[in-house]
């Protein structure tokens, strides 16, 4: 009999610990699964939208995550109208699905000047006003990408609920919600 | 100078071809990135929801995709109320993000009897009525998973729009919509 590779999946406390460990790893390790979560939002027409984002910060104490985006992107327009998001990670090494539901606050301009100052030069071209993401262009490369601090936005995700699903020899699933501290319950997978 | 590893990304037609090639690969290859897309829906409270699914069919001629799920899962309830979904794949080998927007039709019961007959015995425990996915349970393993054909549902995704983003030395992004045939346009990344 081989040892259980994922003993942390057995208890609510260690499962929750492990999920935060993997989220924080995503911020610091470009190759970690949580580096590139999928962010889902709702469009002004009520349609679900999903795209890859880069996880920039994960703070367990406050239950907050952070991503960066172009202030003129569709996702910001959607989040201004409907300030809730879902964030999804499938961590294949841990056989763990992390699903987050969060309230969203968008910051830009002077409020994010310090964060902007820490964005590497080579990454700044994603934040441009000259070509709005998703706008029609006549040729594939007929767009500009002049860095512009005024196009830089920070999306703060205030976690409301975390749903963790571990796929082992027997599946385990739990949900954690804020009630003063974080309270977890097992649910059917 | 090295050869471009992704020459298909340069033209609308070859980009579209490649995306379908990768989706179809997901159906047939357990290790392909498109095997496990993220499906986003909208809950009855208007919240976005996202989870991993298994891609079961991809038909380019009709522009349709198919996944299987538990008829009593939250995603089916959500899709009955709001029959639209987004499907997301990040294909790291191709450096390609595939985003699909689709209208959804759910089939179950007699309409899916033949599909059910082809579900392997070992996979049937996911389709159970005895423990509704997401319902509170007192212990991690206090759930049943007795296979039940009546809990098996097929989710048909009728693609409305496909948004393809290739991250190369220069990024390229295009959107394809149904207008009789499929019509593509370049958009700013």
């Amino acid at each position: 009999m081989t040892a259980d590779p994922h003993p942390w999946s057995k208890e609510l406390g260690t499962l929750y610990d492990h999920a935060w460990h993997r989220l924080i790893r995503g911020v610091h390790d470009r190759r970690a699964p949580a580096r590139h979560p999928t962010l889902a939002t709702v469009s002004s027409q009520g349609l679900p939208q999903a795209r890859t984002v880069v996880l920039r910060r994960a703070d367990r104490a406050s239950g907050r995550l952070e991503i960066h985006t172009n202030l003129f992107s569709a996702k910001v327009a959607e989040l201004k109208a409907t300030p809730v998001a879902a964030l999804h990670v499938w961590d294949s090494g841990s056989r763990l699905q992390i699903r987050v539901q969060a309230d969203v606050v968008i910051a830009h301009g002077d409020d994010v000047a310090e964060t902007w100052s820490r964005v590497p030069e080579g990454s700044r071209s994603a934040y441009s006003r000259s070509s709005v993401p998703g706008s029609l262009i006549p040729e594939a490369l007929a767009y500009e990408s002049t860095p512009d601090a005024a196009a830089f936005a920070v999306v703060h995700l205030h976690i409301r609920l975390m749903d963790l699903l571990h796929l082992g020899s027997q599946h385990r699933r739990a949900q954690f919600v804020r009630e003063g501290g974080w309270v977890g319950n097992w649910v059917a997978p």
Side-chain angles (χ1 to χ4, degrees), chain A:
Chain A
M1 192 174 158
T2 52
D4 180 345
H6 300 144
W8 47 264
S9 66
K10 298 275 198 323
E11 301 292 335
L12 288 168
T14 51
L15 176 60
Y16 185 75
D17 287 348
H18 189 80
W20 273 106
H21 175 74
R22 298 304 291 167
L23 287 170
I24 292 164
R25 178 73 175 265
V27 175
H28 300 289
D29 177 357
R30 286 171 182 277
R31 292 168 160 273
R35 179 71 170 190
H36 294 111
T38 305
L39 182 81
T41 53
V42 179
S43 79
S44 57
Q45 292 84 38
L47 300 174
Q49 299 285 343
R51 79 290 281 165
T52 299
V53 294
V54 181
L55 188 62
R56 299 294 183 181
R57 212 166 69 90
D59 183 54
R60 177 176 170 160
S62 62
R64 294 191 189 183
L65 306 173
E66 185 179 308
I67 65 168
H68 298 166
T69 189
N70 186 311
L71 182 63
F72 304 101
S73 65
K75 77 172 87 63
V76 170
E78 289 160 10
L79 286 170
K80 281 180 178 169
T82 310
V84 285
L87 193 104
H88 172 276
V89 173
W90 166 244
D91 187 324
S92 57
S94 294
R95 305 281 302 157
L96 180 68
Q97 175 178 253
I98 303 173
R99 295 172 65 188
V100 161
Q101 291 179 35
D103 296 299
V104 170
V105 176
I106 295 167
H108 59 94
D110 290 345
D111 293 341
V112 300
E114 199 204 313
T115 309
W116 173 252
S117 72
R118 285 182 274 116
V119 175
E121 288 291 337
S123 303
R124 292 189 176 188
S125 62
Y127 312 102
S128 169
R129 250 193 303 202
S130 36
S131 294
V132 173
S135 56
L136 278 175
I137 51 180
E139 300 290 340
L141 301 179
Y143 62 90
E144 287 183 53
S145 44
T146 312
D148 184 346
F152 178 68
V154 174
V155 178
H156 295 281
L157 302 168
H158 298 214
I159 300 176
R160 209 192 259 199
L161 182 148
M162 197 181 282
D163 183 311
L164 304 177
L165 171 64
H166 178 256
L167 300 183
S169 56
Q170 291 175 298
H171 302 341
R172 288 177 170 82
R173 181 178 173 192
Q175 292 182 340
F176 298 83
V177 293
R178 269 182 213 267
E179 289 180 11
W182 288 87
V183 177
N185 282 293
W186 296 110
V187 300

